[in-house]
Amino acid sequence: MTSQVLDLALTESSLRPLPGPAAELLRELDAPPRLGAHLRIVHDVAWSLTDALGRRRPDLEFDTTAVLFGAATHDIGKVVHVEELSAPGHAHEEAGRDLLLRYGVPAHLARFAGSHASWDDPHVTLDDLLVSLADKVWRAARVEDLEKLVCARLGGAPWEAFLELDDVLRQLAAGADARLAFQAAYPITA
Ligand SMILES: [Fe+2]
């Protein structure tokens, strides 16, 4: 049964709604409300990020649907490792990927739960990097090595790519205080 608080986290505010299958799964798992709120935020930021990059660089190749699903589920392993909602830890990453696979999510969409903190992996794709980036910039965190990897995928002169990405990220970071307040308003336990 879904808690009313989780339901509010998934529906309140002007944040864009999660993709249907992601929201259904969170309800089925009766996910902690704070996790629901966090996933809404990161999904919303990923939406704006892919929209902004797609407009500026129409030939840049990434799978928007996959990135948005990845953002909407990246921390789902925290249903199992609830302690990682309030303390750092990596156990939720593989647990999240396994959980999604168990619920029938295809591997190419389940992988983000395992990859969102591993941007230095040699097999990382631009889709993976965009989920990692959204998971940082929602609270105005800027991570130089992650941004360098994204800039390399943008191509062209490195300084031009950086200025372009920086412009997009600054605009997204401006909404961080409101997002932090939204997330903090939802309890870890319903
Ligand atoms: Fe996250």
Side-chain angles (χ1 to χ4, degrees):
M1 201 189 83
T2 308
S3 77
Q4 279 182 338
V5 196
L6 172 63
D7 205 55
L8 286 175
L10 296 179
T11 53
E12 253 191 351
S13 101
S14 57
L15 295 169
R16 296 172 181 94
L18 293 182
E24 271 167 40
L25 185 53
L26 290 170
R27 287 193 163 99
E28 194 171 336
L29 294 166
D30 198 16
R34 185 163 301 165
L35 175 61
H38 175 67
L39 294 175
R40 280 221 36 232
I41 288 170
V42 177
H43 167 266
D44 192 72
V45 169
W47 198 103
S48 300
L49 177 63
T50 50
D51 182 60
L53 287 179
R55 284 169 197 270
R56 285 164 182 254
R57 297 288 185 104
D59 7 320
L60 196 61
E61 286 191 19
F62 56 85
D63 181 342
T64 305
T65 308
V67 171
L68 296 184
F69 187 86
T73 55
H74 72 281
D75 273 342
I76 202 161
K78 292 185 182 177
V79 167
V80 185
H81 294 281
V82 182
E83 72 283 0
E84 294 187 1
L85 276 169
S86 49
H90 293 283
H92 71 277
E93 292 159 17
E94 284 313 300
R97 192 180 59 97
D98 292 348
L99 186 152
L100 289 172
L101 291 172
R102 258 199 330 276
Y103 276 82
V105 172
H108 77 282
L109 295 176
R111 75 168 196 276
F112 297 98
S115 72
H116 65 272
S118 315
W119 51 84
D120 47 2
D121 185 294
H123 303 296
V124 83
T125 67
L126 179 57
D127 294 356
D128 295 306
L129 294 174
L130 294 177
V131 172
S132 303
L133 198 54
D135 193 29
K136 293 296 173 194
V137 77
W138 74 271
R139 56 182 174 94
R142 301 287 302 262
V143 182
E144 197 182 332
D145 57 341
L146 170 58
E147 292 179 19
K148 274 186 181 161
L149 291 167
V150 177
C151 285
R153 310 286 174 123
L154 292 181
W159 63 271
E160 249 173 21
F162 175 74
L163 287 179
E164 199 156 23
L165 183 64
D166 184 58
D167 194 34
V168 171
L169 295 181
R170 275 172 194 268
Q171 288 181 35
L172 289 173
D177 287 348
R179 294 185 199 109
L180 283 161
F182 176 77
Q183 181 172 300
Y186 289 92
I188 291 178
T189 347

